[in-house]
Amino acid sequence: MDPKPTGAALLLAPAARGGAAAKLPPAETRRAHFPAVDEHLVVPEVTRDELIRGRKVVAAPALEPHAEQQVRLDFLIAPHLRPGYIGAADLITRVAEGSDFATDLSIRRAGTDPATGRRYLEELSFEIVNEQSMRDVREKAEDLLARGVRRVFALFVKRDEVAEWSAAEGRFVPLTPDATLEDPCLVRPVPVRALLDGAAAEREVVRALERKGNPEIEAIKARERQAALDEGRRAGLDEGRRAGLDEGRRAGLDEGQRAVLLHQLRTRFGDVPEARREQILAASGERLAVWAERILAARTLDELFEG
C-alpha cells in the first residue's frame, strides 16, 4: 500500500508533545522495552491506519505501479522460502511504543517463539515505494532494525531500483541489477533483476521450485527423461531395421551373384568340383565380383581362382 500521512497525531511519543519532533531513546534502551509484536495500537483489517513514531499514517489503496510490483514480489519470494520460514503480505507489527505498521512483504520463522509465546518477529522486510514519503520509509527501516529485523529492503518503483537499508550509513544503499540477494531464509540466491522484471521472476521461480524438489517439476523432468529414452530406443530400432534391410539386400545380391557365377562356370568348364563350389558359397560379395570379371578371360578353373 501507499501510506498517506493524515496530518493528525493519534499517539505521540513523550518527547513529541507540544509539537516538537519525536526524539527516541537509544536503540539498546528501546529494545529492552519493546511491546509484543502483536499488541496493536491500530485495529488490523478494520482500519487502514498505521503509526510511525506516534505519527498517524493512512495506508491508502495502491496505484497500478505499486500494486503490480506487489504481485511480482510476492510471486517471486514465496517459492524461494526455505522450509521452516513463512512469508506474509501487509503483516502489521508492533515495532515500538509509538510504531505499529506493516511492510509490503516480510519473512519470519514459522511457529511460535518460545521466548515470547507469540509469533516470531520478521527477519526480512520489503517495502514497495511509489507514493509514500521518504521520511516514512526511512523511519520504518530504522524502527524495524532497532526492533530486531535483520534486513530491510526497499523497491523504488519510479526509479526501478532495489536498495537495502544500511544502519552504518543511515540510508538505503542501491543494489546493482546484477547482484543477488542471499540469505539463510532463502533456498537459493534471488537475482536483484528478478525483483523488478516479471519474465526474470518466472525463470527464478522455476529454478527455486526445482531446488526444493517440487513434485510437479520432478514429474516433468521424469517425463522428459522418459521421452528422451523412448526416442533413443526408437532411433536404435529404426537404425537396426535399416541395417537389417541393408544386410538382407546385400545377402540377396550375393546369393544371386553366386548362382550366376556357378551357372557360368558349368557352361564353360562343365561340372564344378565340390571344393570349388564350397569356395564360391563361402566367398564375400567383393570376391565374387572379382571372379565374375575373370571368368571371361580364364582358360581353366584353377586360373580363375588364382590369387
Side-chain angles (χ1 to χ4, degrees):
M1 295 189 181
D2 292 326
K4 304 287 187 182
T6 65
L10 180 64
L11 177 67
L12 293 176
R17 292 175 186 146
K23 185 174 182 179
L24 298 176
E28 58 272 15
T29 303
R30 295 162 56 208
R31 190 175 293 114
H33 300 91
F34 283 129
V37 294
D38 51 3
E39 287 183 357
H40 300 300
L41 296 170
V42 297
V43 184
E45 301 188 39
V46 174
T47 69
R48 290 186 177 274
D49 298 333
E50 293 184 334
L51 287 168
I52 303 174
R53 299 182 181 179
R55 186 175 71 261
K56 182 180 177 181
V57 174
V58 175
L63 296 173
E64 295 98 319
H66 183 127
E68 292 162 5
Q69 179 60 66
Q70 179 78 60
V71 170
R72 284 194 295 270
L73 178 63
D74 295 347
F75 169 77
L76 173 64
I77 295 300
H80 279 82
L81 296 179
R82 190 179 294 277
Y85 286 90
I86 189 168
D90 296 320
L91 176 66
I92 190 165
T93 296
R94 184 71 181 279
V95 181
E97 287 296 334
S99 291
D100 192 17
F101 56 77
T103 50
D104 289 296
L105 177 67
S106 61
I107 301 172
R108 71 182 192 279
R109 288 185 180 276
T112 301
D113 184 350
T116 64
R118 300 174 185 269
R119 69 167 173 84
Y120 283 96
L121 176 70
E122 46 264 53
E123 297 190 26
L124 272 64
S125 289
F126 296 82
E127 187 75 3
I128 299 172
V129 184
N130 185 45
E131 294 295 328
Q132 65 181 302
S133 71
M134 276 305 301
R135 177 188 177 185
D136 289 351
V137 181
R138 183 183 67 252
E139 291 181 353
K140 280 185 174 183
E142 290 174 342
D143 284 2
L144 286 166
L145 262 68
R147 176 77 211 231
V149 176
R150 290 193 292 103
R151 304 176 74 179
V152 177
F153 298 89
L155 283 68
F156 294 98
V157 177
K158 291 180 179 177
R159 40 187 213 251
D160 204 33
E161 180 180 88
V162 179
E164 181 172 1
W165 179 259
S166 169
E169 299 185 31
R171 68 184 182 95
F172 279 101
V173 177
L175 305 176
T176 65
D178 295 329
T180 56
L181 194 166
E182 300 183 43
D183 194 89
C185 296
L186 307 173
V187 295
R188 63 186 297 275
V190 176
V192 169
R193 194 182 309 279
L195 291 165
L196 300 168
D197 180 80
E202 289 183 354
R203 291 193 296 271
E204 298 307 319
V205 164
V206 173
R207 291 166 182 164
L209 292 174
E210 182 180 21
R211 175 69 60 86
K212 294 170 78 171
N214 178 270
E216 188 58 31
I217 296 290
E218 292 302 312
I220 291 172
K221 290 165 63 178
R223 288 196 292 270
E224 290 177 347
R225 287 194 296 268
Q226 187 60 49
L229 288 172
D230 291 344
E231 182 63 27
R233 291 192 187 98
R234 284 194 295 271
L237 289 172
D238 291 344
E239 185 64 29
R241 291 192 189 98
R242 287 193 293 271
L245 289 172
D246 292 343
E247 183 64 28
R249 292 190 189 98
R250 286 193 296 271
L253 290 172
D254 290 346
E255 283 301 314
Q257 196 168 4
R258 289 188 183 93
V260 170
L261 181 61
L262 286 170
H263 175 73
Q264 290 175 328
L265 290 176
R266 284 194 295 270
T267 300
R268 289 203 61 194
F269 303 111
D271 291 336
V272 179
E274 186 63 24
R276 295 298 187 188
R277 186 172 180 279
E278 292 294 332
Q279 190 175 356
I280 292 170
L281 293 177
S284 66
E286 290 80 3
R287 175 56 59 182
L288 291 172
V290 171
W291 291 336
E293 290 180 2
R294 287 182 181 179
I295 195 169
L296 298 176
R299 290 170 293 182
T300 65
L301 277 174
D302 292 338
E303 186 177 341
L304 175 69
F305 289 100
E306 284 178 357

